Amino acid sequence: MATTLYCPYCYDRFAERKIEFRCAGRVSVTGKVCKPKVDRNARDVMGDGQLRFPAFEADGRKLNATCPHCDLVTFIRLCPNCHSALPNYFGKVDSRMIALIGAKESGKTIFITVLLHEMMHRISRQFGVAVLGADDDTRLRYEKDYESSLYEQGSLPDVTRSASAGRLRQPLVFSFAIDRRRLGRTRVDRSVLSFFDTAGEDLTHSDSVELNTRYLASADGIILLLDPLQMRGARPLVGDDTELPVRADAGDRPEHVLGRVVGLLERMSGASRRGKIKKPIAVAFSKMDTLLGTLPEDSPILAEPPGDACFDEADSLAVHRHVEQLLHKWQGGGLSETLGVHFEKYRLFGLSALGNNPVGGAGDDGPRRVSHHGIQPIRVADPFLWLMSEFGAIPKKRG
Ligand SMILES: Nc1nc2c(ncn2[C@@H]2O[C@H](COP(=O)(O)OP(=O)(O)OP(=O)(O)O)[C@@H](O)[C@H]2O)c(=O)[nH]1
Ligand SMILES: [Mg+2]
Ligand SMILES: [Zn+2]
Ligand SMILES: [Zn+2]
């Protein structure tokens, strides 16, 4: 059976046998040696002009191939479109793409930074999984551009630049390995996870729609981040210490953002129009720390999430129903109906990546920063864990 794969770097679709190889560039016994040069695919698709050893075609179903120029065996496998080196065992292991989307300033960059930090530390201990950047570039970029600026310098990210404004931004690609014995199976199960930090404006600008469509088409699951502070009924509820974001243009308000995502997904799946959308969607309300004071004492959002090595369905459903009620209060009742009509599987979440309001800004010196209480996330991993449990990648405890 021919397997169709999606590149975790450029989201292009290809058959496994089309995977290409890159010469490892050593000197062979025959004395032949390949020279590095600019790789046209890497340059044109990813804007990567570095010198690389030559790429060549061979049977992509194999894990290695012999370079036709220097006769040396190489294990470096490439996406046929962008020529990014594919993670180990790509095509042989499950690869799960999770698309993260949301309007401008809904908190996507902070969410992804804190989620990955939690995954590499707390979640990996809780679930007995190993989470690692799949390539050097991801590891360096995550540490430098995301983790250390938020966690060490306490600075909030700048607006994420639109993908159409320059070269295609590289997604963050991670490998997630779980000891399958925990799932009653015998081997280690690896997944490749690809997160793409979209710019909010990519959802509204038509230039970026093509990229977004490819991104959504390749996704096995979607996390849609919505900002409760853009909901009419929620804005008057926040305390004085919260600097309300400017009310978004109509097109960037949660109900419209969901509508646009539904539109993209329906157009993509063209043929199966009459059915509901099959991709699971986690709809998460960010910045919940700003609304904690308005929640009842027994709110499941405030409860410590269970610490077992499995996804707790009862706990998650309690949060889901609670958010559904909150939506009525926030005057966003229609959201949950829209989800029910269009999606086979959806779940609501309430979370906070920072856990505390940022401080400073307006009047104070310098830009707004992470609060001196530090980063204390609330249920930030729930949507990701739900999707992973839906994929069968982590065990689920039924309620
Ligand atoms: N109180 C609170 N504010 C948050 C939280 N997460 C994000 N914010 C606020 O929202 C702003 C935007 O967050 P980003 O993560 O940059 O949002 P984004 O969705 O990546 O924005 P674009 O890149 O412009 O699309 C931050 O500067 C914070 O002021 C949170 O967990 N709690
Ligand atoms: Mg951003
Ligand atoms: Zn690619
Ligand atoms: Zn060679």
Side-chain angles (χ1 to χ4, degrees):
M1 194 189 79
T3 344
T4 303
L5 303 168
Y6 286 95
C7 171
Y9 296 92
C10 72
Y11 309 108
D12 202 40
R13 192 172 121 144
F14 52 86
E16 190 182 12
R17 66 190 162 75
K18 292 283 188 195
I19 289 178
E20 295 184 14
F21 292 84
R22 187 183 301 291
C23 174
R26 293 176 307 251
V27 183
S28 72
V29 278
T30 59
K32 289 187 204 163
V33 60
C34 283
K35 288 209 178 66
K37 54 177 200 275
V38 169
D39 180 313
R40 276 213 236 141
N41 294 52
R43 185 194 61 198
D44 295 351
V45 184
M46 307 302 281
D48 172 359
Q50 283 191 59
L51 301 182
R52 310 247 180 218
F53 290 108
F56 60 91
E57 289 174 19
D59 183 351
R61 289 166 298 192
K62 304 229 169 83
L63 290 174
N64 59 51
T66 304
C67 174
H69 315 292
C70 69
D71 306 327
L72 269 179
V73 173
T74 177
F75 288 83
I76 308 172
R77 299 156 78 230
L78 306 180
C79 161
N81 180 47
C82 68
H83 281 183
S84 296
L86 296 168
N88 290 344
Y89 305 106
F90 184 80
K92 308 292 181 201
V93 300
D94 289 328
S95 154
R96 278 127 187 164
M97 311 274 233
I98 295 180
L100 171 65
I101 44 180
K104 276 199 295 249
E105 272 191 82
S106 50
K108 299 177 296 299
T109 301
I110 293 181
F111 171 76
I112 215 162
T113 309
V114 176
L115 172 65
L116 287 170
H117 182 93
E118 289 283 294
M119 269 162 62
M120 285 188 277
H121 299 95
R122 200 177 52 77
I123 310 283
S124 55
R125 275 201 306 276
Q126 183 182 344
F127 286 87
V129 298
V131 179
L132 287 171
D135 57 86
D136 291 345
D137 180 66
T138 292
R139 280 188 288 271
L140 284 174
R141 238 166 1 103
Y142 174 68
E143 269 178 42
K144 187 168 137 296
D145 299 348
Y146 292 79
E147 196 178 32
S148 83
S149 65
L150 189 71
Y151 280 84
E152 283 161 35
Q153 287 134 43
S155 37
L156 301 177
D158 294 332
V159 171
T160 303
R161 270 175 13 120
S162 165
S164 63
R167 68 186 187 108
L168 180 62
R169 266 193 331 280
Q170 293 260 7
L172 296 163
V173 183
F174 282 78
S175 75
F176 181 98
I178 182 165
D179 193 336
R180 276 254 156 177
R181 278 164 291 193
R182 286 172 178 266
L183 302 177
R185 285 163 236 181
T186 51
R187 57 193 177 87
V188 173
D189 177 67
R190 284 169 222 274
S191 336
V192 173
L193 297 170
S194 171
F195 295 97
F196 182 54
D197 183 11
T198 43
E201 57 173 325
D202 285 350
L203 266 178
T204 32
H205 280 231
S206 56
D207 307 359
S208 321
V209 166
E210 193 262 342
L211 174 69
N212 265 295
T213 310
R214 250 187 320 136
Y215 178 50
L216 285 174
S218 67
D220 299 288
I222 299 166
I223 299 178
L224 173 62
L225 210 56
L226 297 177
D227 184 352
L229 303 181
Q230 290 297 352
M231 304 194 67
R232 199 177 324 127
R235 288 174 74 85
L237 301 178
V238 299
D240 292 340
D241 52 342
T242 299
E243 195 182 303
L244 272 180
V246 179
R247 180 94 161 109
D249 298 336
D252 276 332
R253 293 181 198 159
E255 49 291 12
H256 294 277
V257 171
L258 176 62
R260 198 154 329 106
V261 172
V262 168
L264 274 177
L265 287 166
E266 284 192 334
R267 243 171 292 143
M268 245 161 45
S269 58
S272 59
R273 258 213 116 111
R274 275 158 288 131
K276 291 190 185 185
I277 298 164
K278 298 225 159 34
K279 291 183 203 287
I281 185 167
V283 178
F285 288 89
S286 58
K287 313 185 188 177
M288 283 303 297
D289 59 287
T290 61
L291 291 160
L292 291 188
T294 71
L295 301 181
E297 245 170 64
D298 60 351
S299 160
I301 294 176
L302 299 171
E304 187 65 26
D308 313 337
C310 58
F311 180 78
D312 192 319
E313 185 69 4
D315 170 69
S316 170
L317 281 172
V319 173
H320 170 86
R321 291 196 199 101
H322 185 50
V323 174
E324 213 160 39
Q325 287 167 0
L326 291 174
L327 276 174
H328 290 289
K329 198 157 141 192
W330 298 343
Q331 301 177 32
L335 275 173
S336 152
E337 284 70 33
T338 307
L339 286 165
V341 168
H342 293 283
F343 290 90
E344 232 168 61
K345 274 190 195 144
Y346 71 96
R347 179 78 43 104
L348 300 170
F349 298 86
L351 57 85
S352 164
L354 295 176
N356 296 296
N357 251 323
V359 292
D364 283 328
D365 291 342
R368 272 151 51 83
R369 318 173 34 79
V370 169
S371 139
H372 49 266
H373 298 296
I375 296 170
Q376 300 170 311
I378 302 168
R379 290 185 170 275
V380 71
D382 285 11
F384 168 74
L385 294 173
W386 175 68
L387 287 173
M388 291 304 270
S389 77
E390 286 297 316
F391 302 151
I394 57 168
K396 183 187 269 192
K397 182 164 99 191
R398 302 204 177 267

